[in-house]
Amino acid sequence: DIDTRRRSKPSSPPRLPAAAAEMEYFTSSPLFMPLVKLVGEYLGSEDWMHQLFHRTYLPAHYALPDPPVSAAACLFALPPHDDVDRVSRLPDALLHNIVSRLPVKDAARTSALSRRWRGVWRSAPLVLVDADLFPATSAVSSVLAAHPGPFRCVHLNDCYMDEFPALLTGWLQILADKGIRELVLVNRRWPLDITLPDTFLGMATLTRLYLGPWKFPDTAGLPSATCFRNLRELGLCNVIMESRDLDFVLDRSPVLETLCLEGNLFRLCLRLVSQSLRCVQIIGCFLEEIFVVDAPHLERLIQSEGCTPNGTCIKVKIGHAPKLHLLGYLELDQRHILEVGNTIIKAGTGVSLSTMVPSVGILALEVRLEVRNDAKMVPGVLRCFPNVETLHIKSEESGQPSGKNLKFWNESGTIECIRSCIKLLVFHDFRGDRSELAFLKFFFEGALVLKEVVLVLANGSFTTMEDIRSKVKPLMSMKRARDSSIMVDTNGRSIGNFKRASDFSLLDPFGDY
Protein backbone atom coordinates (compact mmCIF):
# COMPACT_ATOMS: atom_id res chain seq x y z
CA ASP A 1 0.00 0.00 0.00
CA ILE A 2 2.89 2.36 -0.76
CA ASP A 3 2.65 4.29 -3.99
CA THR A 4 5.55 6.31 -5.34
CA ARG A 5 4.46 9.29 -7.46
CA ARG A 6 6.77 11.42 -9.52
CA ARG A 7 5.78 14.94 -10.47
CA SER A 8 7.43 17.40 -12.79
CA LYS A 9 9.17 20.12 -10.82
CA PRO A 10 7.90 23.65 -11.31
CA SER A 11 10.45 25.77 -13.09
CA SER A 12 12.57 27.99 -10.88
CA PRO A 13 12.98 31.69 -11.66
CA PRO A 14 16.34 32.39 -13.29
CA ARG A 15 19.05 33.92 -11.18
CA LEU A 16 20.58 36.78 -13.13
CA PRO A 17 23.93 38.46 -12.39
CA ALA A 18 23.66 41.79 -10.63
CA ALA A 19 25.47 44.87 -11.86
CA ALA A 20 28.20 45.93 -9.42
CA ALA A 21 27.01 49.53 -9.26
CA GLU A 22 23.44 48.48 -8.54
CA MET A 23 24.55 46.06 -5.83
CA GLU A 24 26.66 48.81 -4.26
CA TYR A 25 23.64 51.12 -4.28
CA PHE A 26 21.51 48.48 -2.63
CA THR A 27 23.94 47.79 0.22
CA SER A 28 24.88 51.43 0.87
CA SER A 29 21.62 53.32 0.28
CA PRO A 30 20.24 54.98 3.45
CA LEU A 31 16.85 53.61 2.44
CA PHE A 32 17.96 49.97 2.44
CA MET A 33 20.74 50.00 5.07
CA PRO A 34 18.35 49.15 7.97
CA LEU A 35 17.04 46.20 5.99
CA VAL A 36 20.53 45.04 4.96
CA LYS A 37 21.74 45.24 8.57
CA LEU A 38 18.64 43.49 9.88
CA VAL A 39 18.89 40.61 7.39
CA GLY A 40 22.64 40.27 7.89
CA GLU A 41 22.28 39.98 11.65
CA TYR A 42 19.39 37.56 11.43
CA LEU A 43 20.70 35.20 8.77
CA GLY A 44 24.44 35.84 8.87
CA SER A 45 24.68 34.91 5.20
CA GLU A 46 26.32 37.06 2.56
CA ASP A 47 24.93 34.81 -0.15
CA TRP A 48 21.41 35.42 1.13
CA MET A 49 22.06 39.14 0.85
CA HIS A 50 22.66 38.66 -2.86
CA GLN A 51 19.48 36.63 -3.09
CA LEU A 52 17.58 39.46 -1.41
CA PHE A 53 19.06 41.91 -3.90
CA HIS A 54 17.95 39.77 -6.83
CA ARG A 55 14.54 39.32 -5.33
CA THR A 56 14.17 43.06 -4.90
CA TYR A 57 15.85 44.14 -8.12
CA LEU A 58 13.93 41.70 -10.28
CA PRO A 59 10.14 41.79 -10.18
CA ALA A 60 8.56 38.73 -8.63
CA HIS A 61 7.65 37.27 -11.98
CA TYR A 62 6.23 34.14 -10.40
CA ALA A 63 3.77 36.36 -8.56
CA LEU A 64 2.66 38.59 -11.43
CA PRO A 65 -0.38 37.51 -13.44
CA ASP A 66 0.15 36.20 -16.95
CA PRO A 67 -0.78 38.60 -19.77
CA PRO A 68 -3.86 37.59 -21.76
CA VAL A 69 -2.00 37.65 -25.09
CA SER A 70 0.42 35.27 -26.77
CA ALA A 71 3.12 36.03 -29.31
CA ALA A 72 3.32 32.33 -30.17
CA ALA A 73 -0.20 32.02 -31.60
CA CYS A 74 -0.56 31.05 -35.25
CA LEU A 75 -3.59 32.32 -37.17
CA PHE A 76 -4.81 30.95 -40.50
CA ALA A 77 -7.55 32.94 -42.15
CA LEU A 78 -7.90 30.48 -45.03
CA PRO A 79 -7.95 26.69 -44.57
CA PRO A 80 -6.29 24.62 -47.33
CA HIS A 81 -8.19 24.47 -50.65
CA ASP A 82 -10.67 27.11 -49.51
CA ASP A 83 -10.80 30.66 -50.89
CA VAL A 84 -13.61 31.86 -48.61
CA ASP A 85 -12.56 34.32 -45.87
CA ARG A 86 -14.67 32.84 -43.08
CA VAL A 87 -12.91 34.71 -40.26
CA SER A 88 -13.96 38.11 -41.62
CA ARG A 89 -17.57 36.94 -41.63
CA LEU A 90 -17.56 36.44 -37.85
CA PRO A 91 -19.62 38.82 -35.69
CA ASP A 92 -17.92 41.94 -34.35
CA ALA A 93 -17.81 40.55 -30.80
CA LEU A 94 -15.75 37.54 -31.92
CA LEU A 95 -13.41 39.68 -34.02
CA HIS A 96 -12.82 41.92 -31.01
CA ASN A 97 -12.02 38.84 -28.95
CA ILE A 98 -9.51 37.61 -31.54
CA VAL A 99 -7.76 40.98 -31.78
CA SER A 100 -7.58 41.31 -27.99
CA ARG A 101 -5.56 38.07 -27.80
CA LEU A 102 -2.86 39.30 -30.17
CA PRO A 103 0.27 41.28 -29.23
CA VAL A 104 -0.62 44.93 -29.68
CA LYS A 105 1.58 45.50 -32.76
CA ASP A 106 -0.07 42.54 -34.53
CA ALA A 107 -3.51 43.65 -33.37
CA ALA A 108 -2.97 47.11 -34.90
CA ARG A 109 -1.73 45.56 -38.17
CA THR A 110 -5.07 43.79 -38.66
CA SER A 111 -6.44 47.17 -39.75
CA ALA A 112 -4.60 46.69 -43.05
CA LEU A 113 -6.20 43.33 -43.85
CA SER A 114 -9.38 44.68 -45.44
CA ARG A 115 -12.13 47.24 -45.08
CA ARG A 116 -13.92 44.80 -42.74
CA TRP A 117 -10.97 44.84 -40.31
CA ARG A 118 -10.17 48.54 -40.56
CA GLY A 119 -11.95 49.63 -37.41
CA VAL A 120 -11.74 46.42 -35.38
CA TRP A 121 -8.56 47.22 -33.42
CA ARG A 122 -9.66 50.72 -32.45
CA SER A 123 -13.11 49.54 -31.36
CA ALA A 124 -11.89 46.50 -29.40
CA PRO A 125 -10.88 46.96 -25.74
CA LEU A 126 -7.10 47.48 -25.77
CA VAL A 127 -4.70 44.85 -24.48
CA LEU A 128 -1.17 46.26 -24.22
CA VAL A 129 1.92 44.36 -23.06
CA ASP A 130 5.03 46.49 -23.48
CA ALA A 131 7.27 43.39 -23.74
CA ASP A 132 5.83 42.95 -27.24
CA LEU A 133 7.06 46.40 -28.33
CA PHE A 134 10.46 47.82 -29.24
CA PRO A 135 11.53 50.39 -28.31
CA ALA A 136 8.99 49.90 -25.56
CA THR A 137 8.85 53.36 -24.01
CA SER A 138 8.19 55.42 -27.13
CA ALA A 139 5.86 52.78 -28.58
CA VAL A 140 3.75 52.75 -25.43
CA SER A 141 3.18 56.50 -25.74
CA SER A 142 2.06 56.08 -29.35
CA VAL A 143 -0.33 53.22 -28.61
CA LEU A 144 -1.93 54.96 -25.63
CA ALA A 145 -2.50 58.08 -27.73
CA ALA A 146 -3.83 56.21 -30.78
CA HIS A 147 -6.40 53.94 -29.13
CA PRO A 148 -9.62 55.62 -27.97
CA GLY A 149 -10.28 53.04 -25.23
CA PRO A 150 -11.52 51.41 -23.19
CA PHE A 151 -8.32 49.71 -22.03
CA ARG A 152 -8.94 46.11 -20.99
CA CYS A 153 -5.46 45.18 -19.78
CA VAL A 154 -2.09 46.98 -19.68
CA HIS A 155 1.22 45.41 -18.55
CA LEU A 156 4.08 47.91 -18.22
CA ASN A 157 7.06 45.74 -17.27
CA ASP A 158 9.87 46.50 -19.70
CA CYS A 159 10.22 50.29 -19.93
CA TYR A 160 13.82 51.44 -19.37
CA MET A 161 14.79 55.10 -19.65
CA ASP A 162 15.60 58.05 -17.42
CA GLU A 163 12.43 59.86 -18.46
CA PHE A 164 10.21 56.94 -17.45
CA PRO A 165 9.01 58.42 -14.10
CA ALA A 166 7.93 61.65 -15.79
CA LEU A 167 6.25 59.80 -18.65
CA LEU A 168 4.49 57.51 -16.23
CA THR A 169 2.44 60.32 -14.72
CA GLY A 170 1.00 61.13 -18.14
CA TRP A 171 0.43 57.48 -18.98
CA LEU A 172 -1.46 56.86 -15.76
CA GLN A 173 -3.71 59.84 -16.45
CA ILE A 174 -4.48 58.49 -19.93
CA LEU A 175 -5.24 55.05 -18.46
CA ALA A 176 -7.55 56.59 -15.89
CA ASP A 177 -9.35 58.67 -18.52
CA LYS A 178 -9.82 55.70 -20.88
CA GLY A 179 -11.24 53.22 -18.38
CA ILE A 180 -8.34 50.88 -17.53
CA ARG A 181 -9.54 47.56 -16.07
CA GLU A 182 -6.36 45.56 -15.38
CA LEU A 183 -2.96 47.13 -14.71
CA VAL A 184 0.42 45.55 -13.98
CA LEU A 185 3.05 48.20 -13.31
CA VAL A 186 6.67 47.21 -12.60
CA ASN A 187 9.65 49.48 -11.94
CA ARG A 188 12.79 47.85 -13.36
CA ARG A 189 15.14 50.77 -12.75
CA TRP A 190 17.17 51.90 -9.76
CA PRO A 191 16.53 53.45 -7.39
CA LEU A 192 13.62 51.34 -6.23
CA ASP A 193 12.41 54.05 -3.86
CA ILE A 194 10.79 56.04 -6.66
CA THR A 195 7.43 57.20 -5.37
CA LEU A 196 4.64 55.98 -7.57
CA PRO A 197 2.44 58.82 -8.89
CA ASP A 198 -0.81 58.85 -6.96
CA THR A 199 -2.81 59.12 -10.20
CA PHE A 200 -3.58 55.40 -10.10
CA LEU A 201 -5.48 55.90 -6.83
CA GLY A 202 -8.25 57.56 -8.83
CA MET A 203 -8.75 54.69 -11.32
CA ALA A 204 -12.29 53.75 -10.39
CA THR A 205 -12.60 51.27 -13.29
CA LEU A 206 -9.72 49.02 -12.15
CA THR A 207 -10.61 45.40 -11.42
CA ARG A 208 -7.02 44.04 -11.06
CA LEU A 209 -3.87 45.89 -9.97
CA TYR A 210 -0.32 44.61 -9.46
CA LEU A 211 2.49 46.97 -8.43
CA GLY A 212 6.19 46.54 -7.71
CA PRO A 213 8.76 47.51 -6.79
CA TRP A 214 7.82 51.11 -5.89
CA LYS A 215 7.50 53.40 -2.95
CA PHE A 216 3.78 53.72 -2.30
CA PRO A 217 2.44 57.29 -2.32
CA ASP A 218 1.48 58.87 0.98
CA THR A 219 -2.29 58.57 1.34
CA ALA A 220 -2.59 60.91 4.33
CA GLY A 221 -3.61 63.93 2.24
CA LEU A 222 -5.79 62.18 -0.32
CA PRO A 223 -9.52 62.91 -0.52
CA SER A 224 -11.69 60.57 1.50
CA ALA A 225 -13.83 60.03 -1.60
CA THR A 226 -10.96 58.17 -3.33
CA CYS A 227 -12.28 54.69 -4.04
CA PHE A 228 -11.42 51.53 -5.98
CA ARG A 229 -15.06 50.61 -6.27
CA ASN A 230 -14.46 47.82 -8.85
CA LEU A 231 -11.09 46.45 -7.67
CA ARG A 232 -11.25 42.70 -7.04
CA GLU A 233 -7.57 41.68 -7.04
CA LEU A 234 -4.57 43.57 -5.62
CA GLY A 235 -0.92 42.48 -5.69
CA LEU A 236 1.89 44.44 -4.03
CA CYS A 237 5.34 43.04 -4.85
CA ASN A 238 8.39 44.57 -3.12
CA VAL A 239 6.48 47.75 -2.36
CA ILE A 240 7.69 50.16 0.33
CA MET A 241 4.66 51.35 2.23
CA GLU A 242 3.26 52.21 5.61
CA SER A 243 0.52 50.24 7.35
CA ARG A 244 -1.83 53.21 7.13
CA ASP A 245 -1.51 53.24 3.33
CA LEU A 246 -2.60 49.63 3.04
CA ASP A 247 -5.44 50.32 5.47
CA PHE A 248 -6.47 53.22 3.22
CA VAL A 249 -6.67 50.97 0.14
CA LEU A 250 -8.53 48.14 1.90
CA ASP A 251 -11.02 50.57 3.38
CA ARG A 252 -11.79 52.01 -0.07
CA SER A 253 -12.01 48.71 -2.01
CA PRO A 254 -15.54 47.48 -1.26
CA VAL A 255 -15.45 44.44 -3.61
CA LEU A 256 -11.77 43.39 -3.19
CA GLU A 257 -11.56 39.58 -3.00
CA THR A 258 -7.84 38.76 -3.38
CA LEU A 259 -4.88 40.47 -1.68
CA CYS A 260 -1.33 39.34 -2.49
CA LEU A 261 1.73 40.74 -0.70
CA GLU A 262 5.22 39.71 -1.78
CA GLY A 263 8.57 40.85 -0.40
CA ASN A 264 7.49 44.10 1.23
CA LEU A 265 10.71 45.69 2.42
CA PHE A 266 9.74 47.31 5.69
CA ARG A 267 8.06 45.62 8.60
CA LEU A 268 4.34 46.04 8.34
CA CYS A 269 1.42 45.45 10.66
CA LEU A 270 -1.24 43.91 8.46
CA ARG A 271 -4.74 44.53 9.81
CA LEU A 272 -7.47 42.87 7.78
CA VAL A 273 -10.75 44.72 7.95
CA SER A 274 -12.81 43.93 4.88
CA GLN A 275 -16.34 42.84 4.11
CA SER A 276 -15.30 41.31 0.77
CA LEU A 277 -11.84 39.68 1.05
CA ARG A 278 -11.78 35.95 0.30
CA CYS A 279 -8.07 35.21 -0.11
CA VAL A 280 -4.95 36.79 1.42
CA GLN A 281 -1.48 35.50 0.57
CA ILE A 282 1.76 36.83 2.04
CA ILE A 283 5.14 35.72 0.65
CA GLY A 284 8.49 36.69 2.16
CA CYS A 285 7.36 39.89 3.89
CA PHE A 286 8.92 41.55 6.94
CA LEU A 287 5.87 41.59 9.18
CA GLU A 288 5.28 42.21 12.85
CA GLU A 289 1.63 41.18 12.97
CA ILE A 290 -1.09 39.64 10.84
CA PHE A 291 -4.38 40.49 12.51
CA VAL A 292 -7.65 39.31 11.02
CA VAL A 293 -9.80 41.92 12.74
CA ASP A 294 -13.08 41.62 10.83
CA ALA A 295 -13.17 39.62 7.59
CA PRO A 296 -16.51 37.77 7.45
CA HIS A 297 -15.90 36.35 3.95
CA LEU A 298 -12.21 35.44 4.28
CA GLU A 299 -11.68 31.81 3.21
CA ARG A 300 -7.89 31.55 2.74
CA LEU A 301 -5.03 33.05 4.75
CA ILE A 302 -1.65 31.86 3.44
CA GLN A 303 1.75 32.96 4.67
CA SER A 304 5.08 31.56 3.49
CA GLU A 305 8.77 32.41 3.59
CA GLY A 306 8.20 34.90 6.38
CA CYS A 307 11.21 36.97 7.51
CA THR A 308 11.74 38.14 11.07
CA PRO A 309 14.73 39.76 12.74
CA ASN A 310 16.55 37.87 15.46
CA GLY A 311 14.63 37.74 18.73
CA THR A 312 11.26 38.80 17.31
CA CYS A 313 8.30 36.94 15.88
CA ILE A 314 5.19 37.38 13.79
CA LYS A 315 1.91 37.39 15.68
CA VAL A 316 -0.91 35.72 13.76
CA LYS A 317 -4.15 36.79 15.40
CA ILE A 318 -7.51 35.40 14.34
CA GLY A 319 -10.43 37.62 15.26
CA HIS A 320 -13.71 37.57 13.32
CA ALA A 321 -13.32 35.21 10.33
CA PRO A 322 -16.29 32.80 10.42
CA LYS A 323 -15.63 31.40 6.90
CA LEU A 324 -11.87 30.88 7.22
CA HIS A 325 -11.34 27.43 5.68
CA LEU A 326 -7.64 27.31 4.82
CA LEU A 327 -4.79 28.54 7.03
CA GLY A 328 -1.00 28.10 6.77
CA TYR A 329 1.87 27.96 7.10
CA LEU A 330 1.92 28.55 10.85
CA GLU A 331 5.60 28.29 11.78
CA LEU A 332 5.87 26.64 15.18
CA ASP A 333 9.54 27.49 15.67
CA GLN A 334 9.15 30.65 17.75
CA ARG A 335 8.72 32.77 14.59
CA HIS A 336 4.93 32.74 14.83
CA ILE A 337 2.73 33.41 17.82
CA LEU A 338 -0.86 32.24 17.31
CA GLU A 339 -3.56 34.21 19.06
CA VAL A 340 -7.21 33.17 18.80
CA GLY A 341 -9.70 35.64 20.15
CA ASN A 342 -7.75 37.16 23.02
CA THR A 343 -5.78 34.04 23.97
CA ILE A 344 -2.18 33.38 22.97
CA ILE A 345 -1.81 29.67 22.20
CA LYS A 346 1.08 28.04 24.02
CA ALA A 347 2.05 24.48 24.85
CA GLY A 348 -0.53 23.27 27.35
CA THR A 349 -3.07 26.05 26.71
CA GLY A 350 -6.50 24.82 27.74
CA VAL A 351 -8.99 24.47 24.92
CA SER A 352 -12.31 26.34 25.00
CA LEU A 353 -14.85 27.71 22.57
CA SER A 354 -13.05 31.06 22.58
CA THR A 355 -9.77 29.44 21.46
CA MET A 356 -11.24 27.37 18.61
CA VAL A 357 -11.55 28.14 14.91
CA PRO A 358 -14.08 25.50 13.84
CA SER A 359 -14.35 26.69 10.23
CA VAL A 360 -10.79 25.65 9.23
CA GLY A 361 -10.75 22.44 7.19
CA ILE A 362 -7.23 22.69 5.70
CA LEU A 363 -4.35 23.54 8.01
CA ALA A 364 -0.61 23.77 7.27
CA LEU A 365 2.06 23.83 9.98
CA GLU A 366 5.83 24.20 9.73
CA VAL A 367 7.68 22.72 12.69
CA ARG A 368 11.13 21.55 13.79
CA LEU A 369 10.14 18.19 15.25
CA GLU A 370 13.67 17.69 16.58
CA VAL A 371 13.24 20.69 18.89
CA ARG A 372 11.18 19.75 21.93
CA ASN A 373 9.76 23.23 22.60
CA ASP A 374 8.61 23.48 18.99
CA ALA A 375 7.12 19.99 18.91
CA LYS A 376 5.23 20.68 22.14
CA MET A 377 3.32 23.43 20.31
CA VAL A 378 1.75 20.99 17.82
CA PRO A 379 -0.93 19.44 20.10
CA GLY A 380 -1.99 22.83 21.47
CA VAL A 381 -2.34 24.35 18.01
CA LEU A 382 -4.21 21.35 16.59
CA ARG A 383 -6.73 21.54 19.43
CA CYS A 384 -7.66 25.03 18.20
CA PHE A 385 -8.85 23.57 14.88
CA PRO A 386 -11.24 20.72 15.77
CA ASN A 387 -12.66 20.20 12.26
CA VAL A 388 -9.50 19.97 10.15
CA GLU A 389 -9.79 17.27 7.47
CA THR A 390 -6.53 17.91 5.61
CA LEU A 391 -3.33 18.53 7.57
CA HIS A 392 -0.03 19.62 6.01
CA ILE A 393 3.07 19.25 8.15
CA LYS A 394 6.27 20.78 6.82
CA SER A 395 9.26 19.32 8.65
CA GLU A 396 11.99 21.90 9.09
CA GLU A 397 15.50 20.63 9.72
CA SER A 398 17.24 21.99 12.83
CA GLY A 399 20.42 19.93 13.03
CA GLN A 400 19.73 18.97 16.63
CA PRO A 401 19.74 15.35 17.84
CA SER A 402 16.21 14.01 18.24
CA GLY A 403 16.65 11.19 20.76
CA LYS A 404 15.49 13.16 23.82
CA ASN A 405 12.19 14.10 22.22
CA LEU A 406 10.90 10.69 21.20
CA LYS A 407 8.85 10.08 24.40
CA PHE A 408 7.10 13.45 24.26
CA TRP A 409 4.26 12.29 22.02
CA ASN A 410 3.16 9.60 24.51
CA GLU A 411 2.24 12.40 26.92
CA SER A 412 0.20 14.45 24.43
CA GLY A 413 -3.17 12.80 24.92
CA THR A 414 -6.08 12.67 22.50
CA ILE A 415 -6.47 15.40 19.88
CA GLU A 416 -10.01 15.59 18.52
CA CYS A 417 -9.23 16.55 14.91
CA ILE A 418 -6.68 13.71 14.61
CA ARG A 419 -9.06 11.19 16.14
CA SER A 420 -12.24 11.95 14.22
CA CYS A 421 -11.68 14.41 11.35
CA ILE A 422 -8.33 14.23 9.53
CA LYS A 423 -8.62 12.08 6.42
CA LEU A 424 -5.47 13.28 4.63
CA LEU A 425 -2.02 13.96 6.08
CA VAL A 426 0.59 15.49 3.78
CA PHE A 427 4.06 15.39 5.35
CA HIS A 428 6.38 17.76 3.47
CA ASP A 429 10.21 17.53 3.42
CA PHE A 430 10.24 14.01 4.83
CA ARG A 431 13.75 12.78 5.67
CA GLY A 432 12.86 9.75 7.75
CA ASP A 433 14.68 10.81 10.91
CA ARG A 434 13.70 9.60 14.39
CA SER A 435 11.70 12.69 15.36
CA GLU A 436 9.57 12.47 12.20
CA LEU A 437 8.91 8.77 12.71
CA ALA A 438 7.95 9.41 16.35
CA PHE A 439 5.40 12.03 15.31
CA LEU A 440 3.95 9.81 12.58
CA LYS A 441 3.64 6.87 15.00
CA PHE A 442 1.71 9.09 17.43
CA PHE A 443 -0.47 10.40 14.61
CA PHE A 444 -1.24 6.97 13.15
CA GLU A 445 -2.25 5.51 16.50
CA GLY A 446 -4.82 8.25 17.11
CA ALA A 447 -6.16 8.82 13.58
CA LEU A 448 -9.28 6.67 13.33
CA VAL A 449 -10.65 8.06 10.02
CA LEU A 450 -7.35 8.57 8.19
CA LYS A 451 -7.55 7.59 4.51
CA GLU A 452 -4.27 8.71 2.94
CA VAL A 453 -0.77 9.78 3.95
CA VAL A 454 1.43 11.58 1.43
CA LEU A 455 5.16 11.76 2.16
CA VAL A 456 6.75 14.55 0.13
CA LEU A 457 10.47 13.81 0.13
CA ALA A 458 12.99 16.49 1.08
CA ASN A 459 15.19 17.55 -1.83
CA GLY A 460 18.61 15.93 -1.72
CA SER A 461 17.84 13.58 1.17
CA PHE A 462 17.43 10.46 -0.96
CA THR A 463 19.59 9.26 -3.83
CA THR A 464 18.09 5.87 -4.74
CA MET A 465 14.77 4.07 -4.59
CA GLU A 466 16.31 1.62 -2.13
CA ASP A 467 17.15 4.54 0.14
CA ILE A 468 13.54 5.72 -0.04
CA ARG A 469 12.20 2.25 0.77
CA SER A 470 14.49 1.87 3.77
CA LYS A 471 13.27 5.16 5.28
CA VAL A 472 9.60 4.43 4.61
CA LYS A 473 9.72 0.80 5.75
CA PRO A 474 9.38 1.56 9.51
CA LEU A 475 6.01 3.19 8.80
CA MET A 476 4.62 -0.09 7.47
CA SER A 477 4.86 -1.80 10.84
CA MET A 478 3.06 1.03 12.63
CA LYS A 479 -0.56 0.60 13.59
CA ARG A 480 -2.85 2.82 11.58
CA ALA A 481 -6.46 3.08 10.37
CA ARG A 482 -7.70 0.23 8.23
CA ASP A 483 -7.62 0.90 4.47
CA SER A 484 -5.35 3.93 4.88
CA SER A 485 -2.59 4.16 2.31
CA ILE A 486 0.87 5.73 2.14
CA MET A 487 2.02 7.51 -1.00
CA VAL A 488 5.52 8.84 -1.65
CA ASP A 489 5.79 12.03 -3.69
CA THR A 490 9.26 12.79 -5.05
CA ASN A 491 8.65 16.45 -5.86
CA GLY A 492 5.55 17.99 -4.33
CA ARG A 493 4.26 21.51 -4.87
CA SER A 494 5.25 24.98 -3.75
CA ILE A 495 2.70 27.36 -2.28
CA GLY A 496 4.87 30.39 -3.11
CA ASN A 497 2.68 31.22 -6.07
CA PHE A 498 -0.15 33.73 -6.16
CA LYS A 499 -1.89 31.95 -9.01
CA ARG A 500 -2.32 28.70 -7.08
CA ALA A 501 -3.35 30.34 -3.83
CA SER A 502 -6.12 32.46 -5.33
CA ASP A 503 -7.41 29.78 -7.71
CA PHE A 504 -10.57 28.60 -5.97
CA SER A 505 -10.94 25.76 -8.46
CA LEU A 506 -8.03 24.19 -6.55
CA LEU A 507 -9.57 22.93 -3.34
CA ASP A 508 -6.13 22.63 -1.72
CA PRO A 509 -3.44 24.92 -3.20
CA PHE A 510 -0.82 23.40 -0.86
CA GLY A 511 -0.86 20.28 -3.05
CA ASP A 512 -2.84 18.32 -5.63
CA TYR A 513 -4.03 15.55 -3.34
Side-chain angles (χ1 to χ4, degrees), residues 67 69 71 103-105 128-137 140 154-160 188:
V69 299
V104 66
K105 59 182 179 182
L128 169 60
V129 179
D130 64 355
D132 299 326
L133 299 171
F134 183 84
T137 308
V140 166
V154 174
H155 284 229
L156 299 177
N157 302 333
D158 280 13
C159 292
Y160 293 84
R188 286 183 177 266

Side-chain angles (χ1 to χ4, degrees), residues 233-511:
E233 186 174 342
L234 174 63
L236 302 173
C237 307
N238 299 321
V239 172
I240 303 169
M241 67 188 310
E242 300 291 338
S243 297
R244 66 173 182 270
D245 298 324
L246 185 56
D247 292 342
F248 179 93
V249 175
L250 293 180
D251 185 53
R252 288 158 177 80
S253 303
V255 298
L256 184 67
E257 295 184 349
T258 300
L259 173 64
C260 304
L261 304 176
E262 192 276 336
N264 284 313
L265 297 180
F266 289 165
R267 284 176 290 173
L268 184 72
C269 292
L270 177 61
R271 298 177 72 258
L272 297 176
V273 179
S274 171
Q275 299 299 305
S276 59
L277 271 177
R278 297 180 62 200
C279 176
V280 175
Q281 182 171 15
I282 306 154
I283 303 176
C285 293
F286 283 80
L287 285 170
E288 294 177 340
E289 183 178 78
I290 303 170
F291 185 8
V292 184
V293 181
D294 184 18
H297 292 94
L298 184 65
E299 299 175 39
R300 295 181 175 184
L301 178 59
I302 299 172
Q303 196 273 345
S304 59
E305 303 175 27
C307 299
T308 58
N310 192 24
T312 65
C313 58
I314 300 174
K315 178 183 286 188
V316 180
K317 184 174 181 179
I318 308 299
H320 182 62
K323 292 187 178 181
L324 184 61
H325 178 71
L326 183 148
L327 175 64
Y329 277 100
L330 293 177
E331 300 175 7
L332 308 184
D333 57 359
Q334 314 307 314
R335 282 183 290 180
H336 278 173
I337 292 177
L338 175 63
E339 182 174 342
V340 181
N342 295 314
T343 302
I344 294 177
I345 307 302
K346 300 179 180 178
T349 299
V351 64
S352 67
L353 291 177
S354 63
T355 62
M356 289 185 182
V357 188
S359 60
V360 172
I362 300 174
L363 178 66
L365 306 177
E366 183 173 339
V367 59
R368 298 178 299 181
L369 292 168
E370 298 166 327
V371 180
R372 183 177 177 83
N373 287 339
D374 294 354
K376 286 174 67 176
M377 287 292 298
V378 174
V381 169
L382 288 179
R383 288 188 173 98
C384 296
F385 304 96
N387 297 320
V388 168
E389 295 188 354
T390 298
L391 176 64
H392 292 263
I393 296 288
K394 186 174 183 180
S395 178
E396 185 178 357
E397 194 170 16
S398 70
Q400 298 185 19
S402 57
K404 296 182 180 180
N405 299 314
L406 299 184
K407 296 181 180 180
F408 158 74
W409 297 106
N410 296 330
E411 307 166 359
S412 298
T414 301
I415 300 174
E416 183 59 31
C417 66
I418 294 179
R419 187 181 72 87
S420 60
C421 290
I422 295 178
K423 299 180 177 65
L424 171 63
L425 170 66
V426 185
F427 196 99
H428 299 262
D429 292 346
F430 177 77
R431 291 173 291 274
D433 62 36
R434 296 178 68 190
S435 62
E436 294 176 343
L437 295 176
F439 167 78
L440 289 170
K441 181 176 184 295
F442 160 78
F443 189 93
F444 290 168
E445 289 177 349
L448 302 183
V449 298
L450 183 66
K451 296 298 183 183
E452 186 174 12
V453 178
V454 180
L455 302 176
V456 183
L457 304 184
N459 289 333
S461 296
F462 302 92
T463 55
T464 65
M465 286 300 299
E466 186 59 36
D467 192 17
I468 295 174
R469 291 190 185 96
S470 68
K471 292 293 187 180
V472 175
K473 185 177 179 180
L475 300 177
M476 305 312 301
S477 61
M478 295 179 184
K479 178 184 176 181
R480 66 178 191 272
R482 178 186 293 183
D483 299 329
S484 62
S485 62
I486 298 177
M487 184 189 78
V488 177
D489 188 338
T490 57
N491 286 320
R493 291 286 186 180
S494 170
I495 193 58
N497 186 303
F498 287 166
K499 303 175 186 69
R500 287 183 59 81
S502 59
D503 184 356
F504 281 88
S505 68
L506 294 175
L507 298 181
D508 183 0
F510 289 105

